[in-house]
Amino acid sequence: MSVTFAQGFSAAGVVAGISSKAGKQDLAFVVNNGPLDAAAGVFTSNRFCAAPVQWSRAAVADGHLKAVVLNSGGANACTGQPGFEQSQATAHEAAGLLGVADSKIAVCSTGLIGELLPLDHVLAGVHDAYNHLDDGEHGGSDAAHAIMTTDTKPKTVALEGSGYRIGGMVKGSGMIAPQLATMLCVITTDAVVTPGAMQAALSAGTSVTFNRIDTDGCMSTNDTVLLLASGASGVEPDPDEFNDLVRQACASLARQIVGDGEGASHDIRISIHGATSEDAALACGRAIAASNLFKCAVSGNDPNWGRILSSLGTVPLDVAPFDPTRVDVDVNGVRICQGGGTGRDRSEVDMTPREVGVDVYLNAGDAEATVWTDDLTHEYVHINADYES
Amino acid sequence: MSVTFAQGFSAAGVVAGISSKAGKQDLAFVVNNGPLDAAAGVFTSNRFCAAPVQWSRAAVADGHLKAVVLNSGGANACTGQPGFEQSQATAHEAAGLLGVADSKIAVCSTGLIGELLPLDHVLAGVHDAYNHLDDGEHGGSDAAHAIMTTDTKPKTVALEGSGYRIGGMVKGSGMIAPQLATMLCVITTDAVVTPGAMQAALSAGTSVTFNRIDTDGCMSTNDTVLLLASGASGVEPDPDEFNDLVRQACASLARQIVGDGEGASHDIRISIHGATSEDAALACGRAIAASNLFKCAVSGNDPNWGRILSSLGTVPLDVAPFDPTRVDVDVNGVRICQGGGTGRDRSEVDMTPREVGVDVYLNAGDAEATVWTDDLTHEYVHINADYES
């Protein structure tokens, strides 16, 4: 159901001829039919942020958006003033169709960096998508397909609150790393919420979900997560429940990104336990998630705890205090490292499941954190070396 | 000639049966025949530093070493007190043969983490190597071969100063990243120098050489660089010349490591120009060198400047101030990115040479720095995923 699961939203996905893949759906349109048009957003912190990020960050600043236009087939990043004018023209076209100000339209793009979009195709695609807007399963599904690039499957979420709903879609497969770990994500709700409450929920939710996945250590220029509220349910949610559902939606979509990481054969959960603080735990988790050597070992089905410890050992003492001789590591439940040295034999670890669980016990405190990554495979290199440029 | 190029040193490399590869030379012995026994060392900053690192750091602390025993076939890392006792026993064996205190012997190990060494083979190997010590080309060459693991070739250096010499050997191919970017390195000189002057020269030299290469972002538990002086030339060197030659020796050996990075098909030089400080330039260079996506693109012979900019854009503003719209990028001399956007067509770049030069112009100041890395290839994944564990 994707973004149309929440009441008050319609969506479409069309073949606009932006992507080099003939016949691929490559333009999505998501419209908030109200009565509210409340919105919040978080964006990449990359200093070379793309034109659509610059446009959309300004558009959502007042807490209101009527619609979002998203395209695959081109990132419109590092394209200077002409690129910014393309995002502006796209918003203008959608605004004209909907009878709202240009600043009520967010624009998101994904694809190759450094090339302008075929603007005439984009604008014609906006018209076509407008004519195909649908508030049912079809519209939401088409939109989720249209934003895919190297993704192998659409990624959506649908959650029921107490009298209101949250839906969402995301795309992301490569160039995934904090901050912010996704490419394009739109989450919708029919709850009656204020932009301020939405921004708080979204910032808190993304910080422990999208910002804790890392498929390849590479931060994108185009990452965007938008939360739109139509208020169509008429229900004012309990704030705690709403925050929790937004976090769950982010967690589900982030997990789906890891599950579809470029070339991945294993999804790797890395949980750090017994740290002196959550930040310390996070730093340790990120260090392991960034290790190409460990990620290669997992793709070869070896629970190589030496590569876990050698990555853990790069975290400075002042960031994460712990005693190396007290560190234990379980992989898929088997304690293969005990007290910083050899534990049970690694042949006892069953590495056949797609999901691999790494639990590191620092035995230094009570804080913990979990990050997710993928293994590093031949296929990842193939996708990112042997593509057509 | 390796470590025996400098007068006053003898060396050997023998088959001790430590490595799982039958018949591989796997134990090296380097002896300083004096008259001096001055020494300096730098070691990994990894908190899970290996037993031989713990032993050797203490041994060299007083500025004097008589000899170094090095083995491939096992890292003796994360092996606890039994591992430390193995390093100690190895030093004791060598010290007995040479008639010196145990603390005059450094020990270095490389190979898999988390397993003890076959100590009887190591001790017998020390005896065997002692009986084969040679101060000519043969001894130095055998030692350089004996420390190899996934290295495809021995890596040595020989430099002439004004009346004195510097020689050296290094091994390193994977798990190469600051700080410190090598596995095992021994540099020798017959100059008459003090331990303090040697430590200063070595620290300065490694900081701009070994600490500026990054083949795979993974810091080892065993990195060791030792500098030994015999004083056999009788020449007290000009301090500036000596410092410069030590830096040159480190640079040559570090460059050879990059040239033999696991699975690499390209060596990549990344030079950052026009930064506000050397630290700023270094942070930018390291960010690009750490990008799996860029490294994959290079292995596919695509000078993908979008992946250069997206990595550069992750460097925080307070670390490296620059204006993204003023950044230019040359790859192999072709300005493919101009002012943060598209420059000349990337098809103009000749990617056939093994060495790829990336020059990034921040246009923000006068400082610069260069780092080296390798491309990320199918073969890297193969070596690190499909090995026998």
Side-chain angles (χ1 to χ4, degrees):
Chain A
M1 289 294 285
S2 163
V3 288
T4 52
F5 180 66
Q7 297 176 74
F9 290 91
S10 49
V14 298
V15 181
I18 306 165
S19 168
S20 58
K21 291 179 207 159
K24 185 197 175 304
Q25 290 179 326
D26 51 10
L27 188 134
F29 199 13
V30 180
V31 177
N32 182 345
N33 300 310
L36 302 182
D37 66 357
V42 291
F43 300 91
T44 182
S45 57
N46 197 303
R47 290 164 69 187
F48 289 93
C49 68
V53 170
Q54 296 172 39
W55 171 265
S56 298
R57 185 183 277 138
V60 78
D62 69 353
H64 298 281
L65 286 176
K66 176 67 179 169
V68 188
V69 177
L70 310 95
N71 74 273
S72 53
N76 194 11
C78 303
T79 45
Q81 183 62 22
F84 187 78
E85 287 166 8
Q86 289 198 329
S87 294
Q88 194 167 25
T90 304
H92 182 71
E93 194 75 11
L97 291 167
L98 297 171
V100 298
D102 293 3
S103 64
K104 285 282 186 290
I105 311 294
V107 178
C108 304
S109 300
T110 175
L112 271 186
I113 295 171
E115 285 169 27
L116 288 167
L117 299 171
L119 186 61
D120 50 342
H121 290 215
V122 174
L123 300 185
V126 171
H127 269 268
D128 188 28
Y130 176 76
N131 290 327
H132 286 86
L133 283 172
D134 172 73
D135 63 2
E137 188 162 345
H138 194 68
S141 174
D142 280 355
H145 278 86
I147 58 175
M148 292 166 58
T149 55
T150 51
D151 306 68
T152 65
K153 47 197 166 194
K155 302 168 184 71
T156 63
V157 69
L159 297 173
E160 290 273 8
S162 302
Y164 64 97
R165 291 175 158 185
I166 291 181
M169 65 178 186
V170 71
K171 70 80 48 189
S173 185
M175 206 178 265
I176 302 293
Q179 318 274 336
L180 176 76
T182 182
M183 282 292 277
L184 308 181
C185 175
V186 178
I187 300 171
T188 55
T189 180
D190 47 26
V192 177
V193 278
T194 65
M198 292 165 67
Q199 186 67 50
L202 190 62
S203 296
T206 53
S207 72
V208 294
T209 56
F210 289 116
N211 280 344
R212 293 190 182 180
I213 64 175
D214 177 352
T215 68
D216 59 5
C218 294
M219 181 202 286
S220 157
T221 49
N222 288 54
D223 296 327
T224 300
V225 181
L226 296 172
L227 173 60
L228 311 177
S230 69
S233 70
V235 172
E236 288 188 38
D238 171 72
D240 288 343
E241 185 191 71
F242 181 74
N243 290 344
D244 190 55
L245 286 177
V246 169
R247 186 193 55 72
Q248 284 185 41
C250 291
S252 169
L253 294 169
R255 180 69 186 78
Q256 291 177 63
I257 288 178
V258 171
D260 195 24
E262 283 178 344
S265 63
H266 284 295
D267 311 338
I268 311 173
R269 173 186 56 75
I270 302 167
S271 299
I272 310 295
H273 311 274
T276 53
S277 69
E278 188 177 350
D279 283 350
L282 201 50
C284 292
R286 290 200 199 287
I288 298 167
S291 168
N292 279 353
L293 282 175
F294 174 61
K295 288 149 66 89
C296 281
V298 172
S299 82
N301 289 320
D302 179 21
N304 190 320
W305 63 269
R307 293 178 179 182
I308 295 173
L309 290 198
S310 64
S311 301
L312 190 61
T314 65
V315 179
L317 181 61
D318 58 343
V319 172
F322 63 82
D323 175 353
T325 68
R326 294 196 61 210
V327 173
D328 304 324
V329 180
D330 294 358
V331 175
N332 285 350
V334 180
R335 173 112 348 149
I336 52 175
C337 168
Q338 174 88 42
T342 308
R344 284 165 60 191
D345 196 88
R346 53 183 157 187
S347 65
E348 294 181 38
V349 181
D350 177 10
M351 292 291 284
T352 51
R354 164 99 188 182
E355 182 174 321
V356 173
V358 176
D359 289 279
V360 177
Y361 299 88
L362 299 179
N363 292 309
D366 297 321
E368 55 186 27
T370 293
V371 301
W372 285 87
T373 188
D374 291 297
D375 56 351
L376 177 55
T377 64
H378 291 269
E379 189 60 17
Y380 177 87
V381 175
H382 177 67
I383 291 170
N384 288 298
D386 308 328
Y387 58 91
E388 286 182 48
S389 63
Chain B
M1 290 294 283
S2 163
V3 289
T4 52
F5 180 67
Q7 297 177 72
F9 290 91
S10 48
V14 297
V15 181
I18 306 165
S19 169
S20 58
K21 291 180 207 159
K24 186 198 173 304
Q25 290 179 325
D26 50 12
L27 188 135
F29 199 14
V30 180
V31 177
N32 182 347
N33 300 309
L36 301 182
D37 65 358
V42 290
F43 300 91
T44 182
S45 57
N46 197 302
R47 289 164 70 186
F48 289 92
C49 69
V53 169
Q54 295 172 38
W55 171 265
S56 297
R57 185 183 276 138
V60 78
D62 70 352
H64 298 280
L65 287 177
K66 177 67 180 171
V68 188
V69 177
L70 310 95
N71 74 273
S72 53
N76 194 10
C78 303
T79 45
Q81 184 62 23
F84 187 79
E85 287 167 8
Q86 288 198 329
S87 294
Q88 194 167 25
T90 304
H92 181 73
E93 194 76 12
L97 291 167
L98 298 171
V100 298
D102 294 1
S103 65
K104 285 281 186 291
I105 311 295
V107 178
C108 303
S109 300
T110 175
L112 271 186
I113 295 171
E115 285 168 27
L116 288 168
L117 299 171
L119 186 61
D120 50 341
H121 290 214
V122 173
L123 300 185
V126 171
H127 270 269
D128 189 27
Y130 176 77
N131 291 327
H132 287 85
L133 283 170
D134 172 75
D135 64 2
E137 188 162 345
H138 194 67
S141 174
D142 280 354
H145 278 86
I147 58 176
M148 291 166 59
T149 55
T150 51
D151 307 68
T152 65
K153 48 197 165 193
K155 302 168 184 71
T156 63
V157 69
L159 297 173
E160 289 273 6
S162 302
Y164 64 97
R165 289 175 159 186
I166 291 181
M169 66 178 185
V170 71
K171 70 81 46 190
S173 186
M175 206 177 264
I176 302 293
Q179 321 268 341
L180 175 75
T182 182
M183 282 292 277
L184 308 180
C185 176
V186 178
I187 300 172
T188 55
T189 181
D190 48 27
V192 177
V193 277
T194 65
M198 291 165 67
Q199 187 66 50
L202 190 62
S203 296
T206 53
S207 72
V208 295
T209 55
F210 289 116
N211 279 344
R212 294 191 182 179
I213 64 174
D214 177 353
T215 68
D216 58 5
C218 295
M219 180 201 286
S220 159
T221 49
N222 289 54
D223 297 327
T224 301
V225 181
L226 296 171
L227 173 60
L228 311 177
S230 69
S233 70
V235 173
E236 289 189 38
D238 171 72
D240 288 343
E241 185 193 70
F242 180 72
N243 290 344
D244 190 56
L245 285 177
V246 170
R247 185 193 54 74
Q248 283 185 42
C250 291
S252 169
L253 294 170
R255 180 69 186 80
Q256 291 176 64
I257 287 178
V258 172
D260 195 23
E262 284 178 343
S265 62
H266 284 294
D267 311 339
I268 311 173
R269 173 187 56 76
I270 302 167
S271 298
I272 311 294
H273 311 273
T276 53
S277 69
E278 188 177 350
D279 283 350
L282 201 51
C284 293
R286 290 201 200 287
I288 298 167
S291 168
N292 279 354
L293 283 174
F294 174 61
K295 287 150 66 90
C296 281
V298 172
S299 80
N301 289 320
D302 178 20
N304 190 319
W305 62 269
R307 294 177 179 182
I308 296 174
L309 290 199
S310 64
S311 300
L312 191 60
T314 65
V315 179
L317 181 61
D318 59 342
V319 172
F322 62 82
D323 176 353
T325 68
R326 294 196 62 210
V327 172
D328 305 323
V329 179
D330 295 357
V331 175
N332 285 350
V334 179
R335 171 92 16 128
I336 51 174
C337 168
Q338 174 89 42
T342 309
R344 285 164 60 191
D345 196 87
R346 53 183 156 188
S347 66
E348 293 180 39
V349 180
D350 178 9
M351 292 290 285
T352 52
R354 165 100 189 181
E355 182 174 321
V356 173
V358 175
D359 289 280
V360 176
Y361 299 88
L362 300 179
N363 291 308
D366 297 322
E368 56 186 28
T370 292
V371 300
W372 284 87
T373 189
D374 290 297
D375 56 352
L376 178 55
T377 64
H378 291 268
E379 189 60 17
Y380 177 86
V381 176
H382 176 67
I383 291 169
N384 288 298
D386 308 329
Y387 57 89
E388 287 181 49
S389 63

